[in-house]
Structures are given as C-alpha cells and as structure tokens.
Amino acid sequence: MKPTPSTYRINGLGLSIAVNCDCLEFWKYASKHVVLPSWSVDSSTTELCNFSVQRQNTGLYALYEGPTLHLRGDRETISIHLASLLHHRMAACSNHIVVHAGAVEYRGRVILFPGTSHSGKSSLVKALTEAG
C-alpha cells in the first residue's frame, strides 16, 4: 500500500510554497535544511509553487516541481537540493532584497561579506569574531 502524501506549506518572505511528501521520515530530516528559523510551516492555502518528494522502490527519492523531475538521489542530496530550490524561488519572487552573506558588527556598524555557498563567509566571520 502506497503512503498518502502529506502537504507542508513553507511560509517566508510573505510567500508560501507547498511541499508534498509521501515519507514522514524524509520530511523530518529535510525540514532541518529547508525551513529557515524565521519561516513557518502551516496549512496556508496560497502557494507560489508546488514541489513533491516521492520515495522510490530503490530506497532513493525523486524530487519534482509540478510535473517536472528535478533529481533522484539519497535523502541528503534531495534535502539540500530542495532547500536550494525553495530558497531561490522565494528570493526571486519576494519584495525583499535577499543577500547570501556572512556578517559581523564592528564599531556599531554591520559589515556584510556576500558570496556564494562554500566560499568561506562563515570561516571569515568566525575568524574575525575570535580575533575580536
């Protein structure tokens, strides 16, 4: 018997994205990557786009946006890819300016270090914080 998918709506930046998932185990793992601290998950009805994650007979997962297959892979790979897609969709469609950056406060001002993922922003912020 195939599990019934559950729908989770992720709300952030004034937008909502639906994620349908037929595997609670996957959602519990993925939500740690997908939902940012200021976002919420509820049953809002307005949605920007619709993603679904389906567990395959092989034990791998398939990630779809509407009818389009994005990727097949293990739980971690799909979680990270889903998080990236959600964050990009929300950033592109919001009325906010979204900056992927590290930041430190220095003499009452904030200094941003924008950059791509894995470019060393967090390492730089950590080093500066430790140096005082």
Side-chain angles (χ1 to χ4, degrees):
M1 183 170 153
K2 188 171 180 164
T4 304
S6 294
T7 300
Y8 305 92
R9 285 185 177 76
I10 301 164
N11 303 294
L13 304 176
L15 304 168
S16 181
I17 294 179
V19 178
N20 300 300
C21 186
D22 66 359
C23 182
L24 181 60
E25 172 196 335
F26 173 84
W27 179 252
K28 285 181 178 178
Y29 177 82
S31 63
K32 296 172 191 170
H33 298 286
V34 171
V35 181
L36 297 179
S38 63
W39 294 7
S40 64
V41 178
D42 67 21
S43 58
S44 170
T45 57
T46 304
E47 55 197 47
L48 173 65
C49 54
N50 193 304
F51 291 94
S52 62
V53 177
Q54 298 172 358
R55 188 176 179 110
Q56 308 290 284
N57 292 337
T58 60
L60 296 177
Y61 298 89
L63 171 62
Y64 295 86
E65 182 173 3
T68 305
L69 174 66
H70 269 279
L71 185 68
R72 284 193 175 96
D74 61 30
R75 182 175 68 173
E76 182 174 1
T77 300
I78 297 299
S79 295
I80 291 168
H81 195 74
L82 175 60
S84 179
L85 285 170
L86 289 171
H87 299 165
H88 283 102
R89 295 297 184 278
M90 286 187 145
C93 295
S94 75
N95 292 328
H96 297 77
I97 295 173
V98 179
V99 179
H100 187 82
V104 294
E105 182 269 334
Y106 180 70
R107 296 184 180 174
R109 296 186 151 211
V110 175
I111 301 170
L112 291 178
F113 303 102
T116 60
S117 295
H118 309 288
S119 63
K121 299 175 303 298
S122 296
S123 298
L124 178 59
V125 167
K126 181 181 177 194
L128 291 170
T129 302
E130 289 173 351

